[in-house]
Amino acid sequence: MTGAMYAAIGGLKTHMTNLNVIGNNIANVNTAAYKAQRMIFQESLYTTRRAGSDGTAIRGGNTPSQIGYGAQVGSIDLNMAPGTFNPTGWGLDCMIDGDGFFMVGTKDMVLDSGEVYNRAMLTRAGDFDIDPKGYITDGQGNVVYGFQMVYNPEYEPGATEAEIAQAKIEGRNIQDKLILSTQLVPLRTPLKAVEPTEENGGYDPTSQTYKWQAGDPVYNVLGAYQEGSNERLNLSLADPSYYDPETGAFADTVPPGANAPNSEDNRETEFSSEDFFEKGGAIPNRDDQKVNLESLSVNENGAIIGTADNGDTVIVGYIAIAQVTAPNGVTHTGGPYYKAQEGAGDVTVGIAGGIFPSGTYLNNAKLVEGDGDDAYTPELKNLLGQMKSIKIQGSGLEASTADVATEFANMIVTQRGYQANTRIVTVTDSMLEELVNMKR
């Protein structure tokens, strides 16, 4: 008889858990990018009163006789379906239209390998801003990861169409001064250029010409291929030991950690300071003064675009999008953040709209076919995704997927279920009371 009471108590606990889920959904009905949860009830343990039988040549079979002991929590799932677009009017606010997450974290995450996938926090909330140092950050102060525009060391000003075409055949780009690097880095606005002088190489007294203007945007540089890995990492001109403005010369090697935290290798430069200046490069301000950008916006591919003081249109970089095999399997770590842990599957990173061509790898890695010493095949996990079906909607955030009407209906059903279970406890108590009173 008391089995009914224990079953009802199990039902009470399970309905209370469901009410907690509903209450959390209702509390976050106005939370940007909140994903509603759903609890699934599951039957609890059964006791078998009589086992089933297939029967014999003489007697027929019978089904098993079993009694259950209430309900328990089967699962609590996340509904990762995209929410509706909520316009805010803020230029850097953005929403992912499709499956995927923004990648945020600290500045010191390992960037030279796919380990960054495991350390990064994933979020659907695109409430971004620019901090005093020029880093793109979210509402909690975490830096936003993406792919930056960098100086192209192979750029040749004044190249003819024939030279450009031949370079393309050879797999080189000599046409574009700025190119998109595939190194995953914290997005940061360019720095301001210093006042050009004869000492720092910005002014040519012979021709009385300036190679740049003070305040011009200064980008990082795409480095040389690293021996043994065929990867090209961004070289940070902001590092004072990389470029000496007093002598107007580049260092022979780039110090460990120059825009690549935890990297233990020195990366050789590909060009001299003279080459750099001739290709339109400038020297950044040593005080890390960021370029002031106006009319900030995020386009459908996730490019952060603004206008500098000198009128130049600046593309800070492209916001990285991470996709997991099972979006509903990500682990909620608090606030708007998730982790791609067990249950989420593999992580693929790319840019919305399929900007990267097929076969593009992280860290600008080059596939070298063959079986000799020079052969190199990048790790499969570093293959960048196409993500052609994803778009970014700017000037707005993703609304919560918690629906008030649905949650209230679920709350009513849960309340009645809880009430019914209390009646079982009451009735069982009354029956036990009658049993105790039999001796009278």
Side-chain angles (χ1 to χ4, degrees):
M1 186 182 297
T2 55
M5 180 176 290
Y6 288 123
I9 291 173
L12 290 173
K13 292 180 178 179
T14 309
H15 278 81
M16 182 55 70
T17 301
N18 191 40
L19 189 62
N20 291 338
V21 173
I22 295 170
N24 187 52
N25 287 340
I26 293 176
N28 288 281
V29 70
N30 288 318
T31 301
Y34 173 76
K35 298 303 176 184
Q37 294 178 292
R38 177 192 63 173
M39 198 199 87
I40 302 299
F41 286 81
Q42 178 177 295
E43 297 165 285
S44 192
L45 296 174
Y46 276 83
T47 180
T48 301
R49 303 295 297 270
R50 184 184 66 185
S53 171
D54 291 335
T56 65
I58 300 175
R59 296 181 59 84
N62 59 271
T63 58
S65 298
Q66 297 176 293
I67 299 177
Y69 282 94
Q72 62 182 350
V73 178
S75 64
I76 300 177
D77 305 318
L78 282 172
N79 177 13
M80 298 304 295
T84 57
F85 182 68
N86 182 19
T88 62
W90 176 242
L92 289 184
D93 283 349
C94 54
M95 164 188 161
I96 301 174
D97 186 3
D99 291 334
F101 301 87
F102 300 114
M103 301 180 70
V104 301
T106 56
K107 299 175 185 177
D108 62 347
M109 291 194 299
V110 176
L111 306 181
D112 294 352
S113 69
E115 186 179 343
V116 68
Y117 299 166
N118 301 324
R119 296 188 59 190
M121 292 184 292
L122 309 179
T123 181
R124 295 278 301 187
D127 53 331
F128 300 147
D129 204 347
I130 300 178
D131 75 358
K133 291 291 186 180
Y135 286 96
I136 310 300
T137 61
D138 68 359
Q140 307 300 316
N142 295 295
V143 293
V144 179
Y145 275 75
F147 304 96
Q148 283 190 312
M149 301 299 295
V150 296
Y151 284 126
N152 176 14
E154 298 178 343
Y155 172 59
E156 295 183 9
T160 65
E161 292 185 4
E163 291 172 334
I164 293 173
Q166 179 60 34
K168 287 183 178 179
I169 294 174
E170 298 171 356
R172 298 184 300 116
N173 180 358
I174 64 174
Q175 181 180 13
D176 299 319
K177 177 180 176 181
L178 295 174
I179 55 177
L180 180 60
S181 169
T182 66
Q183 185 185 356
L184 195 59
V185 296
L187 290 179
R188 187 183 188 185
T189 62
L191 300 179
K192 287 184 177 180
V194 298
E195 186 75 31
T197 64
E198 183 177 354
E199 289 73 20
N200 64 24
Y203 174 69
D204 185 355
T206 304
S207 60
Q208 296 185 349
T209 57
Y210 291 94
K211 296 179 180 177
W212 70 80
Q213 299 296 322
D216 284 352
V218 180
Y219 299 82
N220 291 331
V221 186
L222 185 64
Y225 281 110
Q226 298 181 85
E227 185 177 355
S229 70
N230 277 0
E231 294 181 342
R232 303 181 73 175
L233 304 182
N234 303 347
L235 307 183
S236 174
L237 290 174
D239 193 316
S241 56
Y242 176 49
Y243 178 81
D244 187 353
E246 298 297 329
T247 63
F250 290 95
D252 292 334
T253 57
V254 181
N259 204 29
N262 299 332
S263 175
E264 297 179 354
D265 59 307
N266 289 338
R267 295 174 293 282
E268 295 182 358
T269 60
E270 270 197 335
F271 46 84
S272 66
S273 55
E274 291 76 12
D275 293 334
F276 181 67
F277 297 147
E278 288 178 0
K279 295 176 181 181
I283 302 306
N285 192 296
R286 273 299 149 252
D287 295 328
D288 283 355
Q289 294 182 4
K290 67 182 179 66
V291 169
N292 296 321
L293 297 179
E294 299 178 350
S295 304
L296 284 165
S297 63
V298 181
N299 71 9
E300 64 178 14
N301 299 122
I304 299 176
I305 304 172
T307 304
D309 292 338
N310 65 355
D312 286 353
T313 298
V314 174
I315 299 179
V316 176
Y318 288 76
I319 299 172
I321 302 297
Q323 286 187 320
V324 296
T325 307
N328 292 348
V330 294
T331 301
H332 207 156
T333 59
Y337 303 122
Y338 305 89
K339 284 276 192 176
Q341 297 178 349
E342 294 291 333
D346 297 328
V347 180
T348 304
V349 177
I351 293 177
I355 294 294
F356 290 130
S358 177
T360 303
Y361 289 90
L362 191 70
N363 296 334
N364 306 287
K366 179 174 65 175
L367 174 65
V368 180
E369 297 181 350
D371 52 8
D373 294 338
D374 296 331
Y376 176 73
T377 302
E379 294 186 56
L380 185 60
K381 66 181 179 180
N382 292 341
L383 181 64
L384 297 175
Q386 294 292 288
M387 305 186 181
K388 295 182 179 180
S389 62
I390 297 178
K391 291 183 178 181
I392 302 295
Q393 296 190 39
S395 299
L397 298 173
E398 181 179 6
S400 171
T401 58
D403 180 73
V404 176
T406 301
E407 299 302 331
F408 268 69
N410 291 338
M411 181 174 62
I412 293 172
V413 173
T414 301
Q415 180 186 10
R416 293 307 181 190
Y418 188 91
Q419 186 180 39
N421 279 273
T422 61
R423 294 294 182 268
I424 295 295
V425 174
T426 303
V427 171
T428 305
D429 178 56
S430 298
M431 294 176 68
L432 290 173
E433 183 182 11
E434 293 296 329
L435 179 63
V436 172
N437 290 336
M438 283 179 62
K439 66 177 183 177
R440 297 180 183 177

